[in-house]
Amino acid sequence: MSNFNFCYRIVPCLADPARRSSLGLKAALVALHLVYAGILFLFDSDLIEKTKEEPWYTAIYLLLFVVALIQYFVTSCSSPGYVLDAMRDVNEKKSLYRRSSMLSKQPASSKSGSFVITVEGSQSEINTQGSNITSWTKLVLDMYPPGTSIRTLTCSYCNAEQPPRAKHCHDCDKCVLQFDHHCVWLGTCIGRGNHCQFWWYIFEETALCLWTGILYITYLKANILRVWYSIFLKSLFLFL
C-alpha cells in the first residue's frame, strides 16, 4: 500500500480511478497499434523488400500511423464543451461589460471640480449576480419556442439551464453542449467542442485499419499458398 501511495505522490493523476482507467486504455490502444504494425515489419519479407525498393510506400503508411495516434490524443484530451463552462464564460463577459460601463461613468474631472458617482458595493454585487443569471437564462430561453418553462430546461444533476441538444453525461457527470455520445475508447464525451476532431480521427483510424488489413491479407495469402504448396508437394512425393 505504501508503494501505491508513493506512486500517487509522484503521479497525482493515478490516484483517481477514472484517470487510471483512461490512461490504461490509452496505453493499451497505443500498444495494440505498435504490435499489429510491428508484426508486419518483422515477419513480412515481401513488405520489407518493397520498403527497400519503394520507401515512399512505407513512409506514407508510417505517416498515417503517426497522424492517427496524434489525432487520437488530441481528440481524447479536448473538451467537448460543457454547459457550466459556457455559463461561466457568459457570466464573466457580462460582468466585464458591466464593470467597463460603470468605470466609464466614474468621476468626470474638470477645471471647476470633479463629479464623483458612488455605488454601494453590496447593491452592485447583487445586481451583477442577478444580471449574470438572467443573461444566461435569457440566452437559453431565446433558443426555445415562446412559452417554454425554465423548469423543463434545468438539469436535475447540474442545476443549470440546458440549451437545445445539451444532455447530462453520467460518465463525466457534466452537461455537454450538443451531446453526441460518450466514447469509451477516447475516455471523453463527443460534443460541440470536439465533434470535428472526432470525425477526423474516425477517418484517419479507418484508413489506417483498412490499409493494415490489406497488408495482413496479402501477407497471409502469400504464406498460406506457400505452406499449402509445400504440403501438396510432400504429400505427392510420399504417395508416389
Side-chain angles (χ1 to χ4, degrees):
M1 191 67 181
S2 59
N3 293 333
F4 287 112
N5 292 332
F6 179 73
C7 294
Y8 295 158
R9 291 175 185 175
I10 297 176
V11 188
C13 62
L14 294 179
D16 185 10
R19 296 288 298 276
R20 271 204 310 273
S21 62
S22 178
L23 290 174
L25 184 63
K26 290 179 175 63
L29 191 136
V30 172
L32 193 66
H33 280 70
L34 293 175
V35 167
Y36 273 95
I39 290 174
L40 284 172
F41 288 98
L42 286 175
F43 299 103
D44 192 352
S45 57
D46 294 337
L47 181 61
I48 296 173
E49 290 296 327
K50 190 172 185 178
T51 301
K52 295 177 181 178
E53 297 174 359
E54 301 175 352
W56 58 268
Y57 182 84
T58 305
I60 294 175
Y61 176 81
L62 293 177
L63 178 62
L64 179 61
F65 182 88
V66 173
V67 168
L69 285 180
I70 292 175
Q71 188 65 35
Y72 169 78
F73 284 103
V74 169
T75 308
S76 63
C77 296
S78 61
S79 172
Y82 297 111
V83 172
L84 292 177
D85 293 339
M87 183 190 300
R88 192 179 300 110
D89 292 339
V90 170
N91 292 342
E92 289 178 357
K93 289 179 182 178
K94 187 68 176 180
S95 178
L96 290 174
Y97 174 75
R98 287 183 61 84
R99 288 177 184 174
S100 61
S101 63
M102 289 175 64
L103 289 174
S104 63
K105 297 178 182 179
Q106 285 297 317
S109 59
S110 62
K111 294 182 179 179
S112 60
S114 62
F115 301 94
V116 180
I117 300 175
T118 59
V119 181
E120 294 182 0
S122 60
Q123 185 66 28
S124 63
E125 290 176 359
I126 292 172
N127 292 337
T128 303
Q129 293 175 359
S131 63
N132 288 340
I133 297 173
T134 305
S135 62
W136 173 254
T137 305
K138 185 177 182 303
L139 182 66
V140 173
L141 285 175
D142 289 342
M143 303 178 186
Y144 288 93
T148 305
S149 174
I150 194 62
R151 292 183 178 180
T152 60
L153 311 177
T154 304
C155 175
S156 58
Y157 299 96
C158 298
N159 233 2
E161 294 85 2
Q162 295 178 336
R165 292 184 59 192
K167 184 180 178 182
H168 185 87
C169 175
H170 295 281
D171 295 298
C172 299
D173 198 23
K174 292 181 180 179
C175 286
V176 180
L177 295 169
Q178 296 182 10
F179 179 84
D180 190 281
H181 70 285
H182 182 88
C183 183
V184 180
W185 295 103
L186 292 170
T188 185
C189 286
I190 306 302
R192 188 184 68 177
N194 58 359
H195 201 261
C196 182
Q197 293 95 324
F198 173 73
W199 279 111
W200 271 111
Y201 168 68
I202 290 296
F203 172 75
E204 293 161 6
E205 189 69 31
T206 302
L208 180 63
C209 289
L210 290 174
W211 197 343
T212 306
I214 292 171
L215 291 176
Y216 264 98
I217 291 172
T218 305
Y219 168 69
L220 293 174
K221 184 179 178 181
N223 282 271
I224 287 173
L225 287 176
R226 290 172 188 171
V227 171
W228 279 105
Y229 185 72
S230 176
I231 293 173
F232 174 75
L233 289 179
K234 291 178 181 179
S235 300
L236 182 63
F237 177 77
L238 291 174
F239 176 75
L240 294 175

